[in-house]
């Protein structure tokens, strides 16, 4: 179909038309709708998008336009934006080049006129009683005054040099003459020249004083104006960021606004492919846009459900007591409405005012590569690192941060339906990563036997205890209990490798959550954390992998996928998707969102198989109700960028508390010194603590070898000190099986946790054996080792 011939561009006209824009090496050139207006070149996927979604804009006033060949040309504004464009013909390319050059010339001329005449809006808000006139004339007047003062200083300087030279000559002549009649004349000349020199010097001093006074007076005003400009820029950036988020949200809402009947589901959800030669181009672009992000052919696809599901009663929908058409109700209200026995929320008042700030992070420079270049391929926990790369929290405290969104588990405990409960538990697993998005600092490796308690029983209804139960490999056990009827326990060991460009941290072990009322027992594992730009660039963190949250009682399962960041992906960064299924594999809920912002759920009303994907696999199509928000990240406190990007909970974790165990992380001296900004002292203290821990470990190894050896086979202390435990055991003929399986090679046993084989999940882990909170009430810590 032939397209209408575009008009010949004239100055001031809005010029529109189709061009091919280079996207990437996979898709090559894609057809886009371009609009040139008011010196700005914008493009859209379709003409229909002009009313709501602009894909990009470039300002021609600062842009460079270059022709590559008969049909191709490039528009760039200095590296930040570059458009590689291709017209359908050489004539069409020339029309666009003419229009762009005219628009650029007009934009440059308007910008120059604006610079000459000054902006109508004042850079600094006018003071009370003043009009809203421009300060440009005032600034120009001040600059002219300062220039005149500088010229006065220059003139005075020349006069001082001239009169000083004359005075020096007169003094030389005065020394050379004989005492006689001409003495009086010479003295008079010297006096005159000295007077001139004094007058000129005073004028110089006065001019300097005037210049300094004027500069000081206006310096304050200019500093204030500069600060105002900076504040306005920051507010503008924040506003633009909010607008971008709202724009993204509105765009996604617009895509889901059209309700598709089931008969059209498979037709609409065709296989991802190139643009066909028939049909409307806007429809082709919309399809590509919606499904290009689904790069994994095994992924599911969601579409709005048929209108009949919005009108019918909710009697067939599990966990809903009202009509499903009541879209304005939140997930919490729907879930709690299904449980008439849910207790009323308790009014929990804080028992103390906790701190909201810590000392700002010092700006100490240290080259990471100079330390890490010799550590490639090594276990991170075995690398001695200065505190410059740390944050003033231990790994035990970072584990306790998982409880920041404990309300999700409180709500889950009130659910009668296990599938709804699974949605809350899955959202809780995602929420534990929300604090890591800016946290590039490494937490302190806990010392063996180090503990951390988080007692929020009176404030939030839960209390938590962590203990470092192993040092090599490092492993920590965590137990949290809530009055709302849930228990969380986990044992996490970290395996980490430095790969040169990035650092991979693989958490080993599992997390379990048990609900008292329903006896539902959930378990899951953590995904891999990757720290990028180790060598050069700004550090940034990504979470990637898959999580299976399993309900061992009912067989329900939620499969969560954390999509790794990809430069070529058009999908939202840090995306998380998941499907909640029952024991028979039937899907009931879809979860979607990002691990650093929020999660939403959608009730599945119908599912079907779509067409084959790129690898010949069928993708499931879910028809869902309108998504509801189930979790949203709390905003960071003010000034968090200067406080290691700590959340409100993280700021309180290292706060002094009375009555805690002597092994508590709050009492760790190197961590406390780092928080106070005394990093040199913290590094020295860290080395002392690590050496003390090594000495204690060697002592335990000696005791373990002695206990495993027979009385007839004596082992000298020198051989024990010089040989590892495995060698000693071989020399004495002792079998490794003689050592209890519940003990470590150095015969260390945790104080508050014991290792068991969990019959429900089938995993071996450390669980809390009791006694800590009773010891705290009695103030008796005699059983604790002196590790600090």
């Amino acid at each position: 179909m032939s397209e209408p011939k575009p008009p010949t561009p004239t100055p001031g006209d809005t010029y529109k038309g189709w061009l091919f824009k280079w996207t990437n090496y996979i898709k090559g050139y894609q057809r886009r709708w371009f609009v040139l207006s008011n010196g700005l070149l914008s493009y859209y996927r379709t003409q229909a998008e002009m009313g709501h979604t602009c894909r990009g804009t470039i300002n021609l006033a600062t842009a460079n336009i270059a022709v590559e060949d008969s049909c191709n040309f490039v528009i760039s504004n200095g590296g930040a934006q570059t458009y590689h464009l291709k017209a359908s013909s050489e004539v069409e390319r020339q029309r666009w080049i003419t229009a762009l050059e005219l628009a650029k010339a007009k934009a440059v001329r308007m910008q120059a006129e604006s610079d000459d005449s000054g902006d109508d809006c004042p850079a600094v808000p006018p003071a009370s009683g003043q009009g809203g006139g421009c300060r440009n004339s005032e600034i120009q007047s001040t600059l002219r005054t300062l220039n005149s003062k500088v010229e006065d200083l220059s003139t005075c300087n020349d006069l001082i040099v001239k009169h000083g030279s004359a005075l020096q000559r007169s003094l030389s002549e005065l020394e050379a003459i004989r005492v006689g009649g001409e003495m009086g004349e010479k003295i008079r000349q010297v006096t005159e020249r000295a007077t001139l020199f004094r007058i000129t010097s005073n004028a110089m001093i006065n001019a300097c004083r005037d210049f300094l006074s004027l500069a000081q007076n206006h310096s304050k005003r200019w500093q204030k104006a500069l600060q105002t400009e900076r504040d306005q820029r920051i507010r503008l950036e924040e506003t633009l960021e909010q607008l971008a988020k709202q724009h993204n949200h509105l765009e996604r809402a617009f895509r889901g606004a059209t309700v598709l009947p089931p008969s059209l589901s498979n037709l609409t959800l065709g296989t991802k492919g190139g643009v066909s030669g028939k049909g409307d181009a806007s429809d082709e672009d919309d399809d590509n846009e919606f499904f290009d992000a689904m790069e994994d052919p095994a992924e599911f696809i969601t579409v709005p459900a048929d209108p009949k599901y919005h009108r019918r009663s909710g009697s067939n929908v599990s966990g809903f007591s009202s009509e499903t058409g009541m879209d304005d109700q939140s997930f919490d209200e729907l879930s709690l409405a299904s449980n008439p026995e849910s207790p009323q929320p308790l009014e929990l008042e804080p028992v103390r005012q906790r701190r909201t700030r810590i000392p700002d992070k010092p700006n100490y420079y240290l080259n990471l590569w100079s330390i890490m270049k010799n550590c490639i391929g090594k276990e991170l926990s075995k690398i001695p690192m200065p505190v410059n790369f740390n944050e003033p929290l231990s790994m035990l405290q970072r584990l306790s941060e998982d409880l920041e969104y404990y309300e999700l588990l409180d709500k889950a405990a009130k659910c009668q339906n296990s599938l709804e409960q699974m949605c809350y538990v899955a959202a809780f697993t995602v929420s534990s990563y929300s604090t890591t998005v800016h946290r590039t600092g490494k937490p302190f490796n806990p010392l063996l036997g180090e503990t951390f308690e988080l007692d929020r029983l009176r404030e939030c209804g839960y209390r938590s205890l962590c203990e470092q139960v192993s040092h090599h490999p490092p492993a920590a056990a965590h137990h949290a209990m809530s009055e709302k009827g849930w228990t969380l326990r986990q044992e996490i060991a970290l395996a980490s490798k430095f790969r040169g460009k990035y650092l991979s941290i693989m958490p080993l072990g599992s997390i379990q959550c048990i609900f008292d009322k329903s006896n539902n027992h959930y378990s899951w594992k953590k995904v891999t954390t990757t720290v990028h730009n180790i060598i050069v660039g700004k550090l940034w963190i990504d979470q990637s992998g898959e999580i299976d949250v399993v309900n061992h009682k009912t067989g329900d399962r939620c499969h969560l996928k954390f999509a790794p960041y990809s430069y070529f992906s058009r999908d939202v960064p840090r995306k998380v998707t998941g499907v909640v299924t029952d024991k028979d594999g039937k899907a009931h809920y879809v979860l979607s969102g990002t691990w650093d912002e929020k999660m939403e759920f959608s009730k599945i009303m119908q599912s079907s198989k779509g067409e084959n994907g790129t690898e010949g696999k069928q993708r499931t199509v879910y028809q869902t109700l309108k998504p509801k928000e189930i979790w949203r990240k709390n905003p960071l406190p003010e000034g968090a960028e200067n406080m290691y990007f700590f959340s409100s909970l993280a700021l309180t974790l290292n706060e002094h508390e009375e009555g805690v165990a002597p092994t508590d992380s709050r009492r760790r001296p190197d961590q406390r010194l780092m928080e106070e900004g005394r990093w040199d002292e913290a590094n020295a203290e860290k080395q002392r603590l690590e050496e003390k821990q090594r000495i204690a470990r060697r002592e335990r190894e000696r005791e373990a070898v002695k206990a495993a050896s027979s009385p007839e086979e004596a082992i000298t202390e020198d051989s024990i000190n010089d040989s590892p435990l495995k060698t000693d055991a071989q020399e004495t003929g002792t079998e490794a099986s003689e050592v209890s399986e519940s003990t470590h090679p150095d015969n260390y046993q945790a104080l508050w946790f014991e290792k068991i084989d969990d019959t429900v999940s089938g995993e071996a882990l450390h669980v809390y054996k009791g006694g800590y909170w009773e010891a705290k009430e009695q103030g008796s810590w005699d059983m604790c080792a002196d590790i600090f």
Side-chain angles (χ1 to χ4, degrees):
M1 181 182 294
S2 61
E3 297 180 359
K5 182 179 178 181
T8 302
T10 58
D13 288 345
T14 298
Y15 193 64
K16 306 176 184 178
W18 290 102
L19 287 173
F20 291 91
K21 179 181 179 295
W22 175 262
T23 56
N24 53 56
Y25 287 98
I26 297 176
K27 296 184 179 181
Y29 283 96
Q30 295 292 318
R31 197 163 180 255
R32 298 292 182 259
W33 180 255
F34 280 81
V35 177
L36 174 60
S37 178
N38 297 326
L40 301 176
L41 179 65
S42 306
Y43 75 93
Y44 310 83
R45 290 188 187 277
T46 65
Q47 299 182 48
E49 282 190 348
M50 290 180 59
H52 55 83
T53 306
C54 178
R55 299 294 173 174
T57 301
I58 191 168
N59 188 354
L60 295 178
T62 57
N64 181 41
I65 304 171
V67 177
E68 290 188 335
D69 53 31
S70 60
C71 294
N72 293 34
F73 58 99
V74 179
I75 304 175
S76 174
N77 63 352
Q81 288 176 294
T82 301
Y83 293 169
H84 294 266
L85 306 177
K86 181 169 68 174
S88 58
S89 65
E90 186 174 359
V91 175
E92 180 66 17
R93 186 217 66 187
Q94 189 57 45
R95 287 198 184 101
W96 273 104
I97 292 296
T98 303
L100 292 169
E101 293 291 355
L102 290 174
K104 177 182 178 180
K106 183 176 180 181
V108 171
R109 185 170 61 255
M110 292 177 62
Q111 185 176 16
E113 292 175 355
S114 176
D115 293 340
D116 292 339
S117 61
D119 191 12
D120 292 337
C121 298
V124 181
S128 174
Q130 293 181 349
C134 180
R135 290 187 180 271
N136 188 52
S137 59
E138 181 182 352
I139 294 175
Q140 294 295 332
S141 174
T142 303
L143 290 176
R144 285 194 296 270
T145 305
L146 289 175
N147 287 331
S148 65
K149 293 296 181 182
V150 171
E151 292 176 358
D152 292 345
L153 290 175
S154 178
T155 303
C156 292
N157 180 66
D158 295 339
L159 291 174
I160 287 177
V161 172
K162 177 181 177 181
H163 295 312
S165 300
L167 180 60
Q168 184 65 37
R169 288 195 304 272
S170 298
L171 291 175
S172 299
E173 293 174 358
L174 185 62
E175 292 177 355
I177 65 173
R178 300 189 185 94
V179 177
E182 54 184 75
M183 173 67 75
E185 182 65 22
K186 291 296 181 182
I187 292 177
R188 186 180 60 79
Q189 291 179 1
V190 170
T191 302
E192 290 178 353
R193 290 173 179 174
T195 302
L196 290 174
F197 186 82
R198 177 176 58 81
I199 295 173
T200 307
S201 300
N202 288 336
M204 180 75 168
I205 294 173
N206 292 333
C208 289
R209 185 184 298 112
D210 294 342
F211 180 84
L212 180 62
S213 175
L214 187 62
Q216 287 178 343
N217 291 336
H218 286 83
S219 174
K220 296 178 181 178
R221 300 175 62 183
W222 289 339
Q223 288 177 357
K224 185 177 180 181
L226 179 61
Q227 186 61 38
T228 302
E229 290 292 337
R230 289 175 177 172
D231 294 342
Q232 290 178 349
R233 187 194 67 183
I234 293 174
R235 286 195 296 269
L236 180 59
E237 291 175 351
E238 293 174 350
T239 303
L240 288 175
E241 182 178 358
Q242 293 294 330
L243 288 174
K245 292 180 179 179
Q246 294 174 8
H247 177 264
N248 187 27
H249 177 73
L250 291 173
E251 182 180 349
R252 284 185 290 178
F254 174 77
R255 295 174 186 169
T258 305
V259 178
L260 301 178
S263 60
L264 297 179
S265 297
N266 291 342
L267 178 62
T268 306
L269 301 174
T271 305
K272 175 181 64 179
V275 178
S276 63
K278 299 181 180 180
D280 184 66
S282 62
D283 295 336
E284 296 163 1
D285 285 345
D286 285 343
D287 289 344
N288 288 336
E289 175 190 2
F290 191 80
F291 298 115
D292 270 349
M294 299 295 183
E295 298 174 2
D296 189 348
E299 283 288 339
F300 59 86
I301 301 172
T302 60
V303 297
D306 191 90
K308 64 181 180 180
Y309 294 116
H310 294 267
R311 294 191 298 266
R312 75 182 216 194
S313 172
S315 58
N316 296 331
V317 182
S318 173
F320 288 78
S321 61
S322 59
E323 293 186 359
T324 56
M326 299 176 64
D327 290 338
D328 292 336
Q329 281 187 281
S330 68
F331 187 33
D332 300 342
E333 295 169 343
L334 293 172
S335 177
L336 299 183
S338 64
N339 186 3
E341 299 179 2
S342 298
Q344 295 298 322
L346 300 177
E347 293 293 334
L348 298 174
E349 297 182 1
V351 297
R352 57 174 292 184
Q353 183 69 30
R354 302 193 181 273
R355 68 181 184 180
T356 59
R357 288 197 60 84
I358 61 173
D360 288 351
K361 178 181 178 181
N363 187 19
Y364 293 151
Y365 173 77
L366 186 63
N367 188 359
L368 175 62
W369 179 241
S370 64
I371 296 175
M372 298 296 287
K373 65 182 179 182
N374 298 321
C375 306
I376 297 178
K378 295 182 180 179
E379 177 68 32
L380 182 64
S381 60
K382 298 182 180 180
I383 300 174
M385 299 285 287
V387 300
N388 303 57
F389 302 121
N390 285 34
E391 61 179 18
L393 290 179
S394 74
M395 189 62 197
L396 303 181
Q397 292 166 315
R398 285 290 291 267
L399 279 180
S400 301
E401 279 192 75
D402 288 357
L403 297 171
E404 179 165 1
Y405 300 96
Y406 68 93
E407 301 97 337
L408 291 171
L409 296 182
D410 289 348
K411 295 173 183 177
K414 300 175 183 179
C415 293
Q416 283 186 328
N417 184 277
S418 63
L419 294 170
E420 293 178 13
Q421 191 176 72
M422 175 66 81
C423 292
Y424 280 108
V425 175
F428 176 78
T429 66
V430 177
S431 70
S432 62
Y433 297 98
S434 63
T435 61
T436 66
V437 61
H438 299 298
R439 301 274 288 278
T440 56
K442 173 183 174 291
F444 280 80
N445 287 333
L447 302 175
L448 189 60
E450 185 175 335
T451 61
F452 178 73
E453 69 162 70
L454 184 62
D455 191 353
R456 297 290 193 269
L457 195 62
R458 296 181 61 186
E459 298 169 78
C460 306
Y462 73 87
R463 56 178 24 165
S464 160
L465 176 67
C466 294
E467 181 180 3
Q468 186 76 358
V469 296
S470 173
H471 188 63
H472 285 300
H478 180 207
H479 178 89
M481 178 275 301
S482 173
E483 292 180 335
K484 300 297 183 65
W486 55 265
T487 300
L488 183 74
R489 61 192 189 193
Q490 59 179 319
E491 179 177 349
I492 299 296
L494 296 179
S496 49
K497 291 292 183 180
F498 175 56
R499 302 297 186 184
K501 290 184 179 180
Y502 61 91
L503 178 70
S504 295
I505 303 172
M506 293 77 70
L508 309 176
S510 66
I511 308 169
Q512 298 184 3
C513 185
I514 306 167
F515 293 95
D516 300 340
K517 186 176 180 180
S518 61
N519 204 28
N520 286 332
H521 190 133
Y522 297 85
S523 69
W524 65 92
K525 298 180 183 293
K526 288 181 173 288
V527 296
T528 300
T529 300
T530 306
V531 184
H532 294 271
N533 289 347
I534 295 294
I535 298 178
V536 65
K538 184 179 180 180
L539 294 176
W540 61 277
I541 290 180
D542 193 24
Q543 311 285 352
S544 60
E546 298 181 1
I547 296 178
D548 281 314
V549 185
V550 181
N551 186 339
H552 296 280
K553 178 185 176 183
T554 64
D556 300 339
R557 182 182 296 266
C558 179
H559 181 74
L560 293 170
K561 181 177 180 181
F562 288 66
Y565 174 80
S566 173
Y567 177 80
F568 296 102
S569 176
R570 289 185 295 177
D571 217 337
V572 59
R574 309 182 184 96
K575 184 177 182 180
V576 182
T577 56
V579 179
V580 177
T581 58
D582 58 22
K583 62 180 180 180
D584 299 323
K586 181 181 178 182
H588 292 265
Y589 290 98
V590 170
L591 295 170
S592 63
T594 57
W595 53 263
D596 67 325
E597 183 179 359
K598 66 176 181 178
M599 288 295 293
E600 296 177 337
F601 89 103
S602 302
K603 177 68 179 175
I604 298 175
M605 306 309 299
Q606 184 176 336
S607 63
S608 60
K609 292 293 183 181
E611 296 184 6
N612 292 342
T614 55
E615 297 182 4
K617 297 181 180 179
Q618 282 189 321
R619 294 179 291 181
T620 305
V621 179
Y622 295 127
Q623 295 189 33
T624 64
L625 296 180
K626 183 180 178 181
K628 298 296 179 183
E629 186 174 283
I630 190 173
W631 164 77
R632 178 176 288 274
K633 178 186 175 183
N634 296 328
L636 291 175
E638 184 179 356
E641 65 278 4
N642 300 322
M643 300 183 294
Y644 310 90
F645 287 98
F646 280 178
S647 64
S648 298
L649 174 63
L651 290 174
T652 67
L653 294 181
N654 208 41
E655 187 175 9
H656 286 288
E657 285 200 20
E658 298 295 332
V660 299
T663 56
D664 196 272
S665 299
R666 300 176 180 88
R667 300 182 183 273
R668 182 165 174 166
D670 54 346
Q671 187 173 301
R672 181 65 61 186
L673 288 170
M674 183 195 176
E675 181 184 286
E676 295 172 355
R678 300 153 64 183
W679 284 16
D680 292 337
E681 299 175 56
N683 278 317
E685 191 66 22
K686 183 172 182 287
Q687 294 180 6
R688 182 190 69 81
L689 292 175
E690 291 173 348
E691 181 60 29
K692 182 177 181 179
Q693 181 172 237
R694 283 190 285 267
I695 294 174
R697 184 185 182 191
R698 288 195 291 266
E699 182 64 29
R700 287 194 302 270
E701 290 176 353
R702 283 195 292 267
E703 295 176 357
V705 173
K706 290 179 181 178
S709 303
S710 60
E712 293 82 10
E713 295 174 320
I715 302 177
T716 63
E717 210 171 283
D718 293 337
S719 66
I720 295 175
N721 290 332
D722 298 336
S723 303
L725 177 60
K726 182 177 180 181
T727 306
D728 293 337
Q730 291 173 351
E731 292 175 355
T732 60
T734 303
E735 297 293 336
S737 60
E738 293 179 10
V739 182
S740 172
E741 293 181 358
S742 62
T743 61
H744 289 267
D746 60 0
N747 205 28
Y748 178 79
Q749 289 182 331
L751 182 59
W752 308 109
F753 289 80
E754 60 181 352
K755 196 167 189 177
I756 65 167
D757 292 325
D758 185 39
T759 57
V760 177
S761 63
E763 299 176 343
L765 74 160
H766 282 80
V767 298
Y768 178 60
K769 63 182 180 182
Y772 179 87
W773 303 108
E774 293 78 6
K776 181 180 180 181
E777 291 179 1
Q778 299 171 6
S780 175
W781 302 110
D782 298 336
M783 72 293 291
C784 295
D786 179 18
I787 62 174
F788 298 145

